[in-house]
Amino acid sequence: MARVAIMVSCVLLLAATCQGVKFGYYSRRCPPAEFIVRNVVGNAVRQNPGIGAGLIRMAFHDCFVQGCDASVLLDPTPANPRPEKLSPPNFPSLRGFEVIDAAKAVLERVCPGKVSCADIVQFAGRDAAFFLSGFRVNYPLPGGRFDGRVSLESEALAFLPPPSFNLSELIGNFAAKGLDVDDLVVLSGAHTVGRSHCSSFTDRISTPPSDMDPALATVLKRQCPANPNFTNDPTVVQDVVTPNRLDNQYYKNVLNRKVLFTSDAALLASRQTSRKVVENAFIPGRWERKFARAMVKMSLVELKTAANGEIRRKSCRVVN
């Protein structure tokens, strides 16, 4: 995978530099920064692999709303009682906030005021992928992102793609963030880890039946209430074969119609995306390489500058 990391660096170095971030950004500013984040994430994932899935999801959810600026971490305040983290796509399902808090606390002791929360979120997503994949997914990430000051529930609802999206809606959603069809198919593969609330897919196991594998639908009907609500909305694993491993099993599940969401099944709705699903399912190492590249590309979406951003001090939950 070292060769993969080098290729990713070479392809994306120019794009990253143009946006004010660069690889090795903390080599002088805070040399142990990435090691500290990886150590904190590793400890958390070993205790609970689900936290790792949450951190990968957090990296995605942060970048799709206000860009990769740690706006997803901001707590409610009297002036802003409904930030992103309280929006339905994030609450109560998004996990890993305490891991970011722990990493920030160590970094502030070692290098006060140097490491942005936005960088911590992206490093943590990368490191979660590293551990959950059995070290097969590993890639360098540029640093130097600034933290945002704006976090709105309404924007999370507007920009995060729901599990009910069809293929054309997904393509448009990703295109709005500068991501292409290949990025869409590749990043969807993160659904190979983690859990989902029943409310996100009950339409696919109700009558009339969807194209979901009947055996899986039967199992899910036993696990989920007919009408889940906020007080009765259990979670189930997203990948019934390798639920705690980041691998290409997701694509085999798509082909076998053993996936939860309409947005997962939608990847078979065109010849182009179907072909990509097959390639990721059966060509060894292809998905891991593409996932690394797509995660770096996503981490560069709509970055803040010193003019409209900051480096939060002490806590990632509040602006300075």
Side-chain angles (χ1 to χ4, degrees):
M1 295 305 291
R3 181 178 297 176
V4 174
I6 293 171
M7 290 176 64
V8 169
S9 297
C10 292
V11 170
L12 294 168
L13 179 59
L14 180 59
T17 302
C18 289
Q19 298 194 58
V21 296
K22 66 179 182 179
F23 294 98
Y25 180 84
Y26 292 105
S27 60
R28 293 187 179 181
R29 291 172 176 82
C30 182
E34 294 191 50
F35 171 80
I36 288 170
V37 176
R38 177 159 290 193
N39 185 57
V40 171
V41 170
N43 290 335
V45 172
R46 280 188 286 271
Q47 293 179 40
N48 181 358
I51 293 296
L55 291 169
I56 297 171
R57 185 168 176 244
M58 181 183 289
F60 178 91
H61 280 217
D62 186 43
C63 289
F64 266 57
V65 184
Q66 286 280 335
C68 307
D69 68 346
S71 55
V72 73
L73 303 178
L74 290 174
D75 279 346
T77 65
N80 182 30
R82 302 297 301 179
E84 290 172 37
K85 64 167 43 174
L86 295 185
S87 68
N90 291 326
F91 182 79
S93 59
L94 193 60
R95 295 187 287 174
F97 293 104
E98 70 281 3
V99 178
I100 304 300
D101 290 339
K104 180 65 169 175
V106 177
L107 288 165
E108 285 300 306
R109 288 198 299 270
V110 176
C111 307
K114 298 294 185 182
V115 183
S116 71
C117 299
D119 279 344
I120 296 172
V121 169
Q122 296 307 311
F123 291 154
R126 183 265 313 271
D127 296 337
F130 173 73
F131 290 110
L132 290 175
S133 68
F135 319 135
R136 287 176 56 81
V137 175
N138 191 25
Y139 51 92
L141 266 175
R145 296 167 190 80
F146 285 94
D147 299 325
R149 302 187 183 97
V150 177
S151 182
L152 301 172
E153 174 189 43
S154 59
E155 293 192 348
L157 288 166
F159 294 113
L160 290 173
S164 60
F165 263 13
N166 61 34
L167 183 59
S168 62
E169 290 170 323
L170 289 168
I171 291 172
N173 179 268
F174 273 64
K177 300 300 174 181
L179 302 173
D180 60 27
V181 174
D182 197 50
D183 299 320
L184 161 63
V185 176
V186 168
L187 291 172
S188 295
H191 289 172
T192 192
V193 289
R195 304 180 68 85
S196 169
H197 284 273
C198 292
S199 58
S200 295
F201 59 84
T202 46
D203 60 311
R204 299 216 335 121
I205 59 174
S206 59
T207 304
S210 68
D211 62 354
M212 182 185 289
D213 173 71
L216 176 60
T218 299
V219 170
L220 293 172
K221 285 180 181 179
R222 291 199 295 263
Q223 295 176 309
C224 294
N227 297 295
N229 55 54
F230 191 77
T231 59
N232 184 22
D233 194 6
T235 62
V236 301
V237 296
Q238 295 194 97
D239 179 347
V240 296
V241 182
T242 58
N244 292 322
R245 186 172 181 84
L246 189 76
D247 56 20
N248 68 340
Q249 180 62 43
Y250 166 81
Y251 298 98
K252 298 172 185 177
N253 293 345
V254 171
L255 292 170
N256 291 325
R257 305 190 184 279
K258 293 184 177 182
V259 286
L260 300 183
F261 306 143
T262 297
S263 58
D264 293 327
L267 299 185
L268 297 181
S270 78
R271 293 180 63 182
Q272 179 188 22
T273 54
S274 295
R275 184 181 70 252
K276 293 178 185 296
V277 168
V278 171
E279 291 170 350
N280 288 327
F282 296 113
I283 299 177
R286 170 168 290 207
W287 176 73
E288 289 83 357
R289 290 191 296 270
K290 285 181 169 287
F291 185 74
R293 187 183 187 282
M295 287 291 282
V296 177
K297 183 178 178 181
M298 183 186 72
S299 80
L300 303 176
V301 168
E302 298 173 2
L303 298 185
K304 298 292 189 294
T305 65
N308 62 353
E310 63 185 15
I311 297 177
R312 291 178 204 151
R313 297 178 179 273
K314 298 184 179 180
S315 173
C316 288
R317 293 174 178 262
V318 295
V319 299
N320 292 339

